[in-house]
Amino acid sequence: MLKKFFCLIVSVAIICSCLVIKSQAVDISVSAKSAILIDANTLEVLFSKNEHEKRGIASTTKILTSLIALEYGEPQKEVIASNEAVRVEGTSLGLKAGDKITLKALVYGMLLESGNDAANVTAYGISGSITEFSKLMNKYAKELGMVNSNFTNPSGLTDADHYSTAFDMALLTSVAIKNPVFNKIASTESAIIDFGTPEISRTLTNHNRLLRECDGVFGVKTGYTKASGRCLVTACERNGVTLIAVTLNAYDDWNDHKKLYDYGFSLYNNLVSQVDLAGVKIPVVCADKKAVSVELAFQTDFTSNSVAGAEIFIEQFLYPPVKAGDVVGEVVFKDSKEQIIKTIPLISKENAVSLYKEVEEDISFFQKIKKYIEGLSV
């Protein structure tokens, strides 16, 4: 789009010092032994604490199990719970051997009720056994770049060889929330699912308190075992920016996440409101106005923490007629490496019509006839 405009560059009134990312050496502490806060889109790390340290992750394991269920199976596919699958300790959806249930309902059971039986039935339904499903989990994790993770079961029950890191879990979550079905389920506060033989209905309630207590949170999964401690993975969106927080082995995880989000979103600047176009005008040739002023094509604020500067590209001059709303340039936001982050069109704020057209319209009827006759005699 830049090529259609002349390279007349006008400085944008953005104070560069306002765009510098605040140092991570800030006065912020969390109770978690491992923690991380990342930008879900860029994967930029905004805060970290022992983020690559291998730890038990308890039921946050079910993020991976649920994602595999949705991507490797048909959500409406029915599976039959086996006696071996439902005989598992810990939280339960209440499945019995012989019960029929869809994979989608199992994902609800995992992400809301944290059912270990739902995780096991999912594993058998996808791969035929816990062992084979664990192989699939590890294959999937490695493909995502989770190099410091290993999975031995679908539920997160304690096992010395079952572990991950805060960084790896944030990476996994950045992929999971891009799946629309996963995202919808993880953000659901309560749901009714049907399963069993004969079929029964059960109301599930999401264990994630932050869905109700923290502005913008829309997922993702809680977890707890005595060995792993309290584990929590959440995602939060504010002003068009999505952040992901992970805390492992935390005694105050709810407040840890609130604190991380308040800090993380404070790093982002609303850039559109900082663009001053008051002095930007484009000359119009032979028009009723010598120049027209410009404005952004849309006013939705663009939020970023990585913009190093911005430039305005506009037409060198315009020919009439110019209509309010015509695209006449663009604002280009770039990072410190001169890579374009976002482009917003500029439009004319006003109309400009041709002076000659107005003169033509003012010619009397007899003058028009005379001009016509003179034209014929040429």
Side-chain angles (χ1 to χ4, degrees):
M1 190 174 180
L2 289 175
K3 292 181 180 178
K4 69 176 288 188
F5 302 115
F6 289 94
C7 294
L8 177 61
I9 304 174
V10 183
S11 297
V12 180
I14 295 180
I15 302 173
C16 291
S17 61
C18 291
L19 299 176
V20 177
I21 302 174
K22 298 176 184 178
S23 169
Q24 290 191 28
V26 294
D27 185 19
I28 179 174
S29 61
V30 294
S31 70
K33 291 187 178 180
S34 293
I36 195 169
L37 179 71
I38 70 167
D39 185 306
N41 295 315
T42 66
L43 303 184
E44 180 179 3
V45 177
L46 306 176
F47 175 86
S48 61
K49 176 184 177 181
N50 302 324
E51 72 274 24
H52 295 298
E53 193 170 291
K54 297 175 182 178
R55 293 186 176 279
I57 56 171
S59 283
T60 60
T61 298
K62 296 183 178 88
I63 297 172
L64 179 55
T65 304
S66 296
L67 186 58
I68 291 175
L70 295 173
E71 294 193 356
Y72 280 77
E74 291 294 329
Q76 298 305 324
K77 174 189 174 183
E78 276 193 337
V79 296
I80 300 175
S82 67
N83 184 58
E84 188 177 12
V86 299
R87 292 175 58 189
V88 59
E89 62 182 290
T91 52
S92 172
L93 185 60
L95 290 166
K96 298 180 176 62
D99 280 349
K100 292 181 179 180
I101 186 169
T102 65
L103 286 173
K104 187 176 182 180
L106 287 169
V107 173
Y108 272 101
M110 286 187 282
L111 295 183
L112 274 66
E113 199 68 30
S114 200
N116 291 340
D117 53 352
N120 274 10
V121 172
T122 298
Y124 277 90
I126 296 291
S127 299
S129 71
I130 299 296
T131 300
E132 290 304 310
F133 188 77
S134 297
K135 291 179 182 178
L136 178 57
M137 293 174 78
N138 288 313
K139 177 178 179 291
Y140 194 99
K142 294 299 182 292
E143 289 174 351
L144 294 184
M146 299 172 67
V147 297
N148 291 311
S149 299
N150 190 67
F151 301 92
T152 61
N153 64 75
S155 61
L157 289 177
T158 301
D159 184 317
D161 292 323
H162 187 98
Y163 54 81
S164 187
T165 68
F167 179 87
D168 281 3
M169 292 304 293
L171 184 62
L172 168 64
T173 302
S174 72
V175 175
I177 62 176
K178 289 181 174 65
N179 183 299
V181 180
F182 178 97
N183 220 21
K184 180 181 179 181
I185 295 174
S187 62
T188 299
E189 291 191 33
S190 65
I192 298 174
I193 64 170
D194 302 317
F195 64 88
T197 307
E199 189 173 82
I200 61 170
S201 296
R202 180 174 175 185
T203 300
L204 310 181
T205 301
N206 201 317
H207 295 180
N208 185 358
R209 279 173 37 187
L210 293 188
L211 292 174
R212 299 171 289 278
E213 296 181 3
C214 188
D215 180 41
V217 168
F218 61 89
V220 177
K221 187 69 189 76
T222 60
Y224 172 78
T225 63
K226 186 175 181 180
S228 299
R230 295 181 62 85
C231 301
L232 182 61
V233 179
T234 63
C236 185
E237 188 274 329
R238 297 176 190 172
N239 297 320
V241 175
T242 300
L243 303 183
I244 293 169
V246 179
T247 52
L248 303 178
N249 199 337
Y251 60 82
D252 193 18
D253 50 0
W254 306 119
N255 286 322
D256 282 352
H257 283 238
K258 291 176 183 178
K259 188 185 300 184
L260 285 170
Y261 287 132
D262 286 344
Y263 164 70
F265 287 113
S266 74
L267 303 180
Y268 289 74
N269 298 279
N270 292 326
L271 299 172
V272 167
S273 60
Q274 298 181 39
V275 177
D276 184 3
L277 298 170
V280 179
K281 290 182 176 293
I282 305 176
V284 186
V285 178
C286 298
D288 64 332
K289 292 185 177 69
K290 291 184 178 180
V292 292
S293 53
V294 303
E295 64 183 353
L296 293 163
F298 50 87
Q299 297 297 321
T300 301
D301 230 339
F302 161 48
T303 310
S304 177
N305 73 340
S306 56
V307 171
E311 296 172 333
I312 295 177
F313 291 81
I314 58 174
E315 296 283 9
Q316 192 171 17
F317 54 83
L318 300 169
Y319 290 105
V322 177
K323 296 180 181 178
D326 285 351
V327 176
V328 294
E330 59 190 18
V331 179
V332 179
F333 296 91
K334 298 180 180 180
D335 62 18
S336 58
K337 296 180 181 179
E338 289 294 301
Q339 297 296 311
I340 295 176
I341 297 173
K342 190 176 184 67
T343 298
I344 301 179
L346 289 173
I347 58 175
S348 173
K349 290 178 66 175
E350 48 199 325
N351 299 320
V353 298
S354 171
L355 287 173
Y356 294 112
K357 183 178 180 181
E358 291 178 1
V359 170
E360 288 270 344
E361 291 173 349
D362 289 337
I363 297 175
S364 69
F365 176 74
F366 294 105
Q367 287 174 318
K368 289 179 180 179
I369 293 176
K370 181 181 178 182
K371 189 174 181 181
Y372 175 75
I373 294 172
E374 289 174 348
L376 291 177
S377 63
V378 174

